[in-house]
Amino acid sequence: MGSASEFDLKNIQGDIWPGFTKRYEQFFFFNIQDAGDFRPGLRGLADHVITSSHDALVNRAAIHKVKQPASSEPGIVGNLINLTGSVIHAIHDALPAHHDIPRTKGPTDDVGLAQVNISFTVRGMTKLGKGRFKDDPFLKGMFADMVGQGRDEAKDWLPEFKDGSVDGVLLVCGTEHEVKKKVKDLSQKYLGPSQGVRHLLTLDGKERPGDQKGHEHFGFLDGISQPLIKGLDDETIKLPGSRKVPTRPGIILLGHDGEMENVPQLMHPEWAKDGSLFVVRKMRQFVPEFNSFLESQAPRLNFTPEQLAARLVGRWKSGAPVELCPDEDNKKYATWNDFDFPLDNQLNCPFASHMRKTKGRGMMNDRDIFDIMRRGIPHGPEVGLDEKENSKTVLDRGLIFTCYQSSLCNGFQFIKNRWINPDTFPADRTDFTDGMNPGQDVIVGQSVKGAIEEDDKLLYTCVYDSNKVHNKVTFEPFVQSNGCDYFFTPSLKLLGDLSVAQAV
């Protein structure tokens, strides 16, 4: 895949690529009670409602035009939307005049947006006549996968996600007033009782305020180390600081180069092309406890809490990589991705840091097979004064984690079960850690269920202190999974076809 022209950007749902602008987001989970009543509305959704990749690019360009109305140079827009030449000009020329772009209600001059995508579990797809998938975790569903065989605790899951009643999710992203209005309208027109649908649950995500914009609740800038797709992000790859190793499109999008290493027997059916497997996972974060842990552990390692936090994540809160900036934050490198980790030491960045646990740069030999496209958003209120004073979480806050990939076996499930939770990954590093295994991911690691051995009851990580001595640091998990499910995000063509599809 050499250029954007080889992709049908009007057929791909826009949150997969280039991703939606997410000031506010609602996830509307539903059950299909009568597929015959529900199916006809899918044509209307495909033709008039769903935001395609092309639509999402136009929206990004409109935001840019509002923020810099004096500039009409398409090349500037190109830096935001990652495309080249004729595509940039076509999008730029299609925009309405500056004064005709819709605004939000209120004091800010935001573009009023409500961008819409829809996805289905394997149960939902089966009801719609297309349940033949080849990805085992998707076929099992998240509860059987993450609770039955993983480390999630069933008692922590929301009831709506336990019984297999979720058939689909409508996600709407944009500005709060417009998102709420759009969800209300769509739930009446397409997702109500008269359309054979029962609403189960709505989850809300919202961008954090002020200087925490773009940061998750532990305080770190999120969504930086994203894969850059060959043929779609070619211009972004050329920018200073961008990772120079592109990801084959089939790692994220079904039916493209790279899906299951292009082995036909392992690939999904042709009708699944331009779709993606979508993970939604509500995570609760114990922020006061995490901050208290940093305050208590940093002095014995001769670090400040900020220095210790940077090592555990792999980036400073600004986003700057600790491998490049080991002693202090440098915002100049806030979104820098053009670096690797040394294979034989963890002097600056621990082997078990969140970054090295989720993408072992260098040791992966630039393999893209395990890449995922993350699209999460924070949920819940800011930490209150009483929570800070008592170092105890009271209110529910965290991250609605979402990601796209063509294979859960190589993507989310693999990363979670093979890299994040085991204390032995990265493997064969004990020669560089005084004989200790690297440990678990402090940010998202989970305890072993029903642990009997004392070593299994507490998690640990191996960290160099400022004197270059290895230390074993123990901790209890700072996140809790409240569950959700695995979904398939179909192409717009398939969505329209499903409006008349019969069971196969």
Side-chain angles (χ1 to χ4, degrees):
M1 300 297 171
S3 70
S5 62
E6 297 183 33
F7 296 86
D8 184 353
L9 297 182
K10 294 184 178 181
N11 194 42
I12 301 167
Q13 295 203 48
D15 194 44
I16 304 173
W17 189 92
F20 288 158
T21 301
K22 299 190 177 186
R23 299 293 297 274
Y24 184 84
E25 182 170 10
Q26 284 197 334
F27 298 79
F28 182 98
F29 298 94
F30 58 90
N31 172 263
I32 302 171
Q33 297 190 299
D34 189 319
D37 288 340
F38 173 68
R39 190 180 287 120
L42 293 175
R43 173 59 65 184
L45 284 170
D47 291 346
H48 306 296
V49 176
I50 299 301
T51 306
S52 69
S53 294
H54 178 271
D55 298 332
L57 292 170
V58 171
N59 289 335
R60 286 191 177 201
I63 292 170
H64 179 268
K65 191 168 187 175
V66 165
K67 289 183 176 179
Q68 300 188 37
S71 172
S72 60
E73 173 55 49
I76 300 175
V77 181
N79 288 337
L80 292 178
I81 61 179
N82 309 325
L83 291 177
T84 59
S86 61
V87 179
I88 292 174
H89 283 82
I91 290 173
H92 188 269
D93 293 344
L95 291 176
H98 178 264
H99 58 78
D100 290 332
I101 296 175
R103 306 295 210 281
T104 56
K105 295 181 179 180
T108 61
D109 191 28
D110 291 330
V111 175
L113 286 178
Q115 305 178 99
V116 183
N117 275 185
I118 194 167
S119 304
F120 302 94
T121 62
V122 68
R123 298 175 296 277
M125 288 300 296
T126 300
K127 290 180 180 181
L128 296 173
K130 295 288 188 183
R132 297 195 332 209
F133 290 82
K134 294 189 177 182
D135 192 89
D136 185 59
F138 179 69
L139 293 171
K140 289 190 298 188
M142 186 183 286
F143 187 85
D145 190 35
M146 286 288 119
V147 175
Q149 296 180 290
R151 295 190 180 186
D152 282 18
E153 296 279 2
K155 65 180 177 60
D156 298 328
W157 274 47
L158 298 181
E160 293 84 354
F161 299 141
K162 291 182 181 182
D163 62 4
S165 60
V166 174
D167 289 329
V169 59
L170 184 85
L171 65 89
V172 184
C173 306
T175 41
E176 185 168 354
H177 176 269
E178 286 72 20
V179 166
K180 289 180 174 178
K181 182 178 184 297
K182 178 65 76 172
V183 171
K184 182 179 179 181
D185 292 345
L186 294 179
S187 66
Q188 294 172 349
K189 187 173 182 180
Y190 295 99
L191 298 166
S194 61
Q195 292 84 34
V197 172
R198 177 168 63 95
H199 174 232
L200 299 174
L201 173 71
T202 298
L203 295 180
D204 295 71
K206 189 174 184 178
E207 185 178 67
R208 295 184 63 206
D211 62 0
Q212 290 303 300
K213 176 181 178 181
H215 296 242
E216 49 72 56
H217 277 290
F218 287 143
F220 294 86
L221 188 64
D222 200 16
I224 303 171
S225 302
Q226 297 281 38
L228 298 175
I229 298 179
K230 184 179 180 181
L232 290 175
D233 293 307
D234 293 352
E235 288 303 297
T236 299
I237 290 172
K238 298 176 184 178
L239 297 175
S242 290
R243 188 118 178 109
K244 305 308 179 189
V245 183
T247 295
R248 290 170 294 172
I251 302 300
I252 308 300
L253 287 166
L254 297 170
H256 291 264
D257 176 46
E259 181 194 346
M260 301 308 294
E261 297 299 285
N262 300 320
V263 178
Q265 302 93 308
L266 301 179
M267 296 172 68
H268 284 84
E270 177 64 23
W271 52 257
K273 183 177 180 179
D274 285 344
S276 191
L277 297 178
F278 181 43
V279 175
V280 183
R281 188 166 167 84
K282 180 182 179 294
M283 303 300 296
R284 190 178 189 191
Q285 293 176 274
F286 300 106
V287 179
E289 291 84 348
F290 178 69
N291 291 335
S292 178
F293 165 79
L294 296 175
E295 293 284 348
S296 66
Q297 295 296 320
R300 80 178 184 90
L301 301 172
N302 200 27
F303 289 133
T304 66
E306 292 75 20
Q307 289 173 325
L308 177 57
R311 279 157 174 76
L312 298 180
V313 172
R315 289 188 185 270
W316 295 86
K317 290 187 175 182
S318 73
V322 72
E323 183 63 37
L324 302 182
C325 312
D327 298 319
E328 61 183 19
D329 197 351
N330 186 340
K331 294 182 179 180
K332 173 184 175 181
Y333 296 101
T335 58
W336 203 270
N337 272 314
D338 191 15
F339 67 95
D340 280 318
F341 297 116
L343 299 179
D344 59 355
N345 80 68
Q346 59 170 356
L347 181 61
N348 294 337
C349 188
F351 291 128
S353 67
H354 181 61
M355 279 191 70
R356 295 183 83 159
K357 278 284 196 177
T358 55
K359 177 68 172 176
R361 297 169 183 237
M363 69 177 296
M364 301 311 300
N365 296 319
D366 294 331
R367 294 179 67 192
D368 60 1
I369 190 170
F370 307 115
D371 287 353
I372 59 176
M373 190 71 77
R374 293 171 291 117
R375 300 295 188 204
I377 189 169
H379 71 83
E382 297 297 299
V383 175
L385 182 60
D386 58 333
E387 292 178 297
K388 290 180 181 178
E389 292 177 344
N390 297 316
S391 298
K392 180 71 174 178
T393 296
V394 176
L395 301 177
D396 181 24
R397 70 179 56 81
L399 185 74
I400 302 176
F401 173 86
T402 70
C403 68
Y404 296 93
Q405 59 263 283
S406 62
S407 168
L408 294 170
C409 295
N410 294 332
F412 169 77
Q413 188 213 47
F414 183 93
I415 294 170
K416 187 66 179 170
N417 292 343
R418 301 286 294 277
W419 287 354
I420 289 174
N421 280 328
D423 63 356
T424 52
F425 182 81
D428 304 322
R429 292 296 181 271
T430 54
D431 288 345
F432 315 116
T433 57
D434 288 346
M436 286 182 277
N437 283 325
Q440 287 95 356
D441 186 330
V442 177
I443 306 304
V444 294
Q446 295 175 284
S447 297
V448 176
K449 288 190 295 190
I452 298 175
E453 299 294 329
E454 290 300 318
D455 285 348
D456 291 333
K457 293 180 180 179
L458 280 178
L459 303 181
Y460 76 91
T461 192
C462 176
V463 182
Y464 260 126
D465 63 23
S466 66
N467 296 316
K468 299 180 175 55
V469 175
H470 284 102
N471 288 262
K472 184 177 183 178
V473 179
T474 60
F475 62 96
E476 293 184 355
F478 298 110
V479 297
Q480 177 190 87
S481 169
N482 300 144
C484 196
D485 220 326
Y486 300 140
F487 299 84
F488 171 64
T489 305
S491 69
L492 274 74
K493 179 184 182 302
L494 176 59
L495 197 61
D497 291 346
L498 290 174
S499 66
V500 295
Q502 299 299 313
V504 181

